[in-house]
Amino acid sequence: MVKDLVILAYSGGLDTSCILKWLIQKNYEVVCFMADVGQNEDFEKAKKKAVAVGAKDVVVEDLRKEFVCNYMLPAVQMGLVYESRYYLGTSLARPCITVGLVNTAKNLGAKYIAHGATGKGNDQVRFELSMYSLWPEGKIIAPWRIPEFFQRFQGRTDLIEYAKKENIPVSATPKEPWSTDENIMHISYESGVLEDPAAIPPGGIFKMTRDLAKADDYASVLDIHFEKGLPVSLRIPSGHEMALHVNDPLVIVETLNKLGGQHGIGRIDIVENRFLGLKSRGLYETPAGTVLHVAHVDLEAFTLDREVLRVKKYLQDKMADFVYNGFWFSPEAAFTRKCLELSQESVTGTVTVQLFKGNVTVLARKSPNSLYNKDLVSMDIAGGFSPEDSTGFININAIRLKEFARLSNLK
Amino acid sequence: MVKDLVILAYSGGLDTSCILKWLIQKNYEVVCFMADVGQNEDFEKAKKKAVAVGAKDVVVEDLRKEFVCNYMLPAVQMGLVYESRYYLGTSLARPCITVGLVNTAKNLGAKYIAHGATGKGNDQVRFELSMYSLWPEGKIIAPWRIPEFFQRFQGRTDLIEYAKKENIPVSATPKEPWSTDENIMHISYESGVLEDPAAIPPGGIFKMTRDLAKADDYASVLDIHFEKGLPVSLRIPSGHEMALHVNDPLVIVETLNKLGGQHGIGRIDIVENRFLGLKSRGLYETPAGTVLHVAHVDLEAFTLDREVLRVKKYLQDKMADFVYNGFWFSPEAAFTRKCLELSQESVTGTVTVQLFKGNVTVLARKSPNSLYNKDLVSMDIAGGFSPEDSTGFININAIRLKEFARLSNLK
Amino acid sequence: MVKDLVILAYSGGLDTSCILKWLIQKNYEVVCFMADVGQNEDFEKAKKKAVAVGAKDVVVEDLRKEFVCNYMLPAVQMGLVYESRYYLGTSLARPCITVGLVNTAKNLGAKYIAHGATGKGNDQVRFELSMYSLWPEGKIIAPWRIPEFFQRFQGRTDLIEYAKKENIPVSATPKEPWSTDENIMHISYESGVLEDPAAIPPGGIFKMTRDLAKADDYASVLDIHFEKGLPVSLRIPSGHEMALHVNDPLVIVETLNKLGGQHGIGRIDIVENRFLGLKSRGLYETPAGTVLHVAHVDLEAFTLDREVLRVKKYLQDKMADFVYNGFWFSPEAAFTRKCLELSQESVTGTVTVQLFKGNVTVLARKSPNSLYNKDLVSMDIAGGFSPEDSTGFININAIRLKEFARLSNLK
Amino acid sequence: MVKDLVILAYSGGLDTSCILKWLIQKNYEVVCFMADVGQNEDFEKAKKKAVAVGAKDVVVEDLRKEFVCNYMLPAVQMGLVYESRYYLGTSLARPCITVGLVNTAKNLGAKYIAHGATGKGNDQVRFELSMYSLWPEGKIIAPWRIPEFFQRFQGRTDLIEYAKKENIPVSATPKEPWSTDENIMHISYESGVLEDPAAIPPGGIFKMTRDLAKADDYASVLDIHFEKGLPVSLRIPSGHEMALHVNDPLVIVETLNKLGGQHGIGRIDIVENRFLGLKSRGLYETPAGTVLHVAHVDLEAFTLDREVLRVKKYLQDKMADFVYNGFWFSPEAAFTRKCLELSQESVTGTVTVQLFKGNVTVLARKSPNSLYNKDLVSMDIAGGFSPEDSTGFININAIRLKEFARLSNLK
């Protein structure tokens, strides 16, 4: 009998290694898929491990450029921030990885995609909704939601025991007492000791960014150039010790991660609302993403008409929710994204930012499309402005207020 | 003939002193009104100057507590941020000052209120709309919009010349090449050399906050307690070198200004959209306000239901525009404010924040009303959660997506 | 062994009668609950039938007044319309009925609530979410989602066969080829022959309203009086043939149903989006509800400030979605409802409407709180208005547009 | 000396004839511009009158097709309804006419555009903002806002007197006691006896539509076909007495005006909020526009994804305000319109509507892009739906509610 083929989103860690074995024992043929989205990972080692456990094959795909160009930078362009604080590093990576999973599944003729995301989290939703949009006939195996699996493996101890029994290599270094998700945009930290929102997180958690106390003692000043809302180059003018000029999107992000990291930029500690309705606490570090978002917000205010900005604000808040909730591939996100891109036609220009001690400070901005008119706003010259007009403007705006006051006074 | 009485919003500076004289020459009787909203000002000196110029009287009113309790802290409670960045320090002070002006006008039987706000700015709108709401019969004299006045005084030189001629004392210290507005919540800096948005601002501008390079080298950790969204106490636990515990709203703000200032917190440099449709560039420093807003956002995420948070977000964005545009006293702001206050019924709790090198970092939060359920979210225990439910949840959410994909594939 | 007690939402029809029997066979003790929300039903007959099938007891509760006062009229006050067309007649009844179910369950010490709503519909969600809010410990039995049940009863034929076998009385009159939901606010018709959205519905479907061809040949003119957005009286002035004056909420609705029905008012045929993500086609007739909504919209425009109206519009659209989706009892609906009620403080007055041939035409409106100022708007008198002010108003509003045009022309 | 050239928006009526004369007396050279947007007007007669009064020339431009194709039908496509009731017939015509005015001004080298709109109304704003967007250097002469003019002509009597004195022909038929604005989309009626919102309007006002009592006694059933949200054809199937099939946009509108008019469709009597902050009462009749909007709403619900519909709803409400307030030509309207057009990509299909006694009733709809899935929604077949999934969906949605209830019960 031919076995059904499963593509497993494999991380190399204990969970997905056990899942791999368990699927094989359930009589599936399993190909592991590993997406390189910039996480710090020994892919060769993971590959060998998967094969050792029994994977039919391991596909490793370098999706870093894809992730940066089609997910992370568009998120900057769209201004996506979830619940005013979170730049969506994990939420954006999930649909990107799912494209890889689905393509692999289609190429290899698989029927199933399996993942190790838990039943309480957002990632299961993001993987699966992305898959159903891209491949409606696809089927999901999510062991952490299958009673036979989750009742058997009630904690890490059960997994380790199973691993030992099944000769799955277990890392010698003890696991950190929290879980992380890492890609080129950010690292998230949650659960374990972080589950108590009233507990100050232990030191030494963050990996991409230095503690403020150890951040560089000099400021870095950068010019970031955007075209239609997308960051396209990064420059430290020649003459400066650290002069540089990069255009490649991946290199821009890597450079800003390095610099932002040295300056301790982009850490947050928040409680957020998951799509399932739970509140969870997460720590995130997003160095390059933070720098780019801050610069983009500034350029937008400089180049977009006030009312366009307001309509765009509504759209970006909606889009942030769509993306967080797993609807990157959906009719509403496709539509809203097109609208947001339209809004960015004129968001071209250069923002000068200073990075220092965790702060991204905008120092100056230039744009050929700026709606800023120095003469018009100047307090020293008229610039074509008739002050009397303001009297009429205020008086007309006061009509409603006077009527309301009149009525209120009657009562 | 009895002269008409004008209440002049007087600052003690060159502009309003010249306006005072000009009004007197126009045959008005003028009483000067000075609101103490926390600005660094020698009120006695200003008073003497006004009398010397010819004011019938000078009324100085200490509105600091009023401003903090009824404008600044409610703005924190409501989460007001204009265009994602500006905490509205000036916008909030204007209606507060106008209450003082109107009360004085009514008490003294004046017919007019005069101010020195320019014709291009937001403040004229805020003063006048506030007045028309509070006192629909009131009349405004805005010399900077009266051709006779603004054509005569085309720049600072004309004012100085007039002052000399009319024996109005002119400050010996040369004016800074920008203008400022100051109160207990913030100082704004704009115009003059700041009018070029591409020019990095000169050093030495800011007064409430230290440069990051000179900020304290140790972190301060504070507990801020909120009741129904309003900050009600500030505590550094005993045992700490700087132990303190304050409950008075004014003292809370003063303390946070001092601490925040030492840590260089709350500076921004932005281009914003004025109500009149111009873009302007402003620098702001808002130390206490920044700390309180950051803490409040955190507590809100911790205590408010997700969907309530979204409705509230819409309301707070609307309210920020109302306030910026001068509609603090308006039917829409009255209504929206009540709604926002309603949303805060459960926003009670304590947020621990660390102030360091310009950063306000939330470390922990506690609340009797938290909707955070550690057992429910825990990755280690079920906490009453059935993982199978997530399968159904995802599958139902996928219905729309599959239908859309089905239709798209048909084409 | 003590049997678990189930409260079954019982309709008297074939489905819930079979469910009743099935639950008994599953070893539950079952008390049937019937809510009288104004549907045309022989409760005595249904009661006897339930007892005959084996119900331990049948509780019939008259919830008409409760439904009208706490659900239907507040929906008018809040302006709830789902997807611009549907007045939510069924959506509003579900939480009302659930209160009855939950109270009965608590009174009788039951552990379960059972209902006959199908797995594809909205009503299951509305019943269950309402229950979980009111009674988080409660448990649901939804047979149409239990494989054992829905696999056994795959169509009406299976139910009839089962009924015959189990001596459950089956109505002699053949079922209409669609399903209905009826209460004092509306009747809905869906599924069966109506499932084809391209098929014109057969004649003779509607029960509350006459066909337009048979509607009354004379118009009825009514005065509807609202207090704070709630309809409180209905009047046809004396002298008129049909003079009446009613104040009782229930009688107001009954009277308007009768009159509206005679005039063929309130029918719609729409495709709507269910919460589960399916589109469905429904026909609705809502005579009294339509008249009241039309009148309320008119009074609101007359009494509410323009900007309040816009904020309220956002809230009412959100609330309509909350209610449709089953979240009547939820933190977001509780909050939004309070806000919407606040918005109605001044919505007091009388609207004169004409009912004729399916049309509700507003003829006139009066209110002590109107913000309409006849003198101000008059084209014949100034009314305190200075036409020159409009010049300034327009010129200032043009600033942004000119800047944008200037920039566009540069390119 | 060369006289400055003014292009006057001329109507042929008393007001603009007097303005024409007055401008000439003010030493301007005046070319009259008349836009044919479908109003019932004797253009030849008006032309002669203008020349007789002293116009240098009269330009009459047939803008009907332009108005229908680029303003009215796009408004249907975008779903524009102001304050839930008004289809914006006048608001849409103003920018269309302004294009004609501006083109004429540019062609003839004029410096000024003049109009007869009053100082309290919306139309002055619409004309002028449109002009400033299209022609920022253009200048406006609005006599009704010039003290010399409006103080001299304080009422109709003054105008008639002036007309007599200056040999301006005055119509023998007495003016109706209200004012109207007419185009192919609608006629509006306001002011005069209509200014009292509590007064039932006199009979005999409406011109495009029959009174319901005199409406046709048979129903008309039509198929309206839309492509990407735009109505592109109208059909009464052959075999029917009134069989027709039209594709020309202008003919579609004319046909629907005729049919809609016979059936008394599209009248409203509302109080609305003007941009200036006044409330005004207006009567409107919009026969074709009403039919097209009703059909379009139905097709949209049938073809658009639920969440796209919601985002689109926000955009259409914003756009309706932009258009009403005179911002048709503005950055925000240009952006929002593009977004709304994007939303309509799939809104293609045919809606069958019945017109009868003032009612537009949707009977059926068909579309190749429908997201309606009959099998999926059917109550009789599974259609790929797993009822158990709904259990998970509901349970997950209940998480937030249970948490909230848990917390509320604690208190």
Side-chain angles (χ1 to χ4, degrees), chain A residues 63-347:
Chain A
L63 295 173
R64 290 175 307 148
K65 193 138 201 167
E66 170 72 9
F67 176 57
V68 164
C69 294
N70 291 334
Y71 297 82
M72 177 183 174
L73 298 188
V76 170
Q77 182 193 35
M78 292 188 274
L80 306 187
V81 196
Y82 183 66
E83 295 188 341
S84 309
R85 297 186 290 183
Y86 169 41
Y87 288 131
L88 296 165
T90 297
S91 324
L92 289 162
R94 294 321 186 199
C96 175
I97 295 169
T98 309
V99 171
L101 283 163
V102 166
N103 287 343
T104 306
K106 288 184 174 174
N107 289 340
L108 303 182
K111 214 168 165 174
Y112 295 93
I113 284 174
H115 63 72
T118 67
K120 289 179 174 178
N122 293 307
D123 286 335
Q124 54 174 347
V125 190
R126 293 165 186 156
F127 280 130
E128 299 180 25
L129 293 185
S130 294
M131 188 201 77
Y132 288 128
S133 271
L134 297 166
W135 187 34
E137 315 78 49
K139 294 197 184 311
I140 286 288
I141 301 175
W144 284 119
R145 299 198 311 254
I146 299 174
E148 185 192 331
F149 187 91
F150 70 70
Q151 279 158 10
R152 174 166 176 187
F153 301 106
Q154 300 207 4
R156 196 168 158 76
T157 322
D158 295 335
L159 287 168
I160 292 177
E161 199 178 312
Y162 176 72
K164 285 185 181 156
K165 193 181 127 211
E166 303 290 347
N167 287 320
I168 302 170
V170 177
S171 166
T173 48
K175 203 191 158 295
E176 290 158 335
W178 51 75
S179 59
T180 67
D181 175 65
E182 181 176 355
N183 59 48
I184 197 172
M185 182 171 177
H186 92 336
I187 307 180
S188 70
Y189 309 90
E190 60 169 17
S191 78
V193 298
L194 303 176
E195 270 168 12
D196 180 0
I200 299 180
I205 290 188
F206 293 99
K207 296 176 191 165
M208 296 173 90
T209 57
R210 290 194 203 156
D211 283 354
L212 292 180
K214 296 177 188 161
D216 280 347
D217 275 328
Y218 54 88
S220 297
V221 175
L222 308 165
D223 286 343
I224 305 174
H225 186 66
F226 292 83
E227 297 277 352
K228 301 192 177 185
L230 285 170
V232 294
S233 81
L234 190 68
R235 178 193 286 265
I236 299 182
S238 60
H240 286 251
E241 197 179 341
M242 293 196 39
L244 62 81
H245 187 182
V246 297
N247 297 297
D248 180 82
L250 195 54
V251 182
I252 290 175
V253 171
E254 287 169 341
T255 308
L256 282 177
N257 273 339
K258 189 162 166 291
L259 279 170
Q262 287 168 11
H263 290 293
I265 283 162
R267 294 179 175 188
I268 52 169
D269 172 344
I270 65 170
V271 170
E272 74 197 46
N273 287 294
R274 288 196 189 150
F275 185 32
L276 268 64
L278 302 84
K279 286 188 189 292
S280 71
R281 191 248 202 121
L283 277 59
Y284 301 93
E285 54 183 342
T286 317
T290 302
V291 177
L292 291 171
H293 265 97
V294 169
H296 181 263
V297 164
D298 191 75
L299 185 62
E300 215 170 45
F302 193 49
T303 52
L304 285 192
D305 171 81
R306 181 184 68 197
E307 298 305 314
V308 171
L309 198 65
R310 270 143 189 77
V311 175
K312 196 239 157 189
K313 183 64 160 53
Y314 171 84
L315 295 170
Q316 79 189 50
D317 286 350
K318 292 298 286 182
M319 187 72 182
D321 279 1
F322 296 155
V323 172
Y324 184 86
N325 291 342
F327 293 88
W328 178 270
F329 294 112
S330 70
E332 61 269 31
F335 168 56
T336 307
R337 184 173 171 182
K338 275 186 225 151
C339 295
L340 286 165
E341 285 168 356
L342 269 176
S343 78
Q344 301 292 300
E345 286 293 316
S346 65
V347 184

Side-chain angles (χ1 to χ4, degrees), chain D residues 93-113:
Chain D
R94 295 321 185 198
C96 175
I97 295 169
T98 309
V99 171
L101 283 163
V102 167
N103 287 343
T104 306
K106 288 184 173 175
N107 288 341
L108 303 182
K111 214 168 163 174
Y112 294 92
I113 283 173

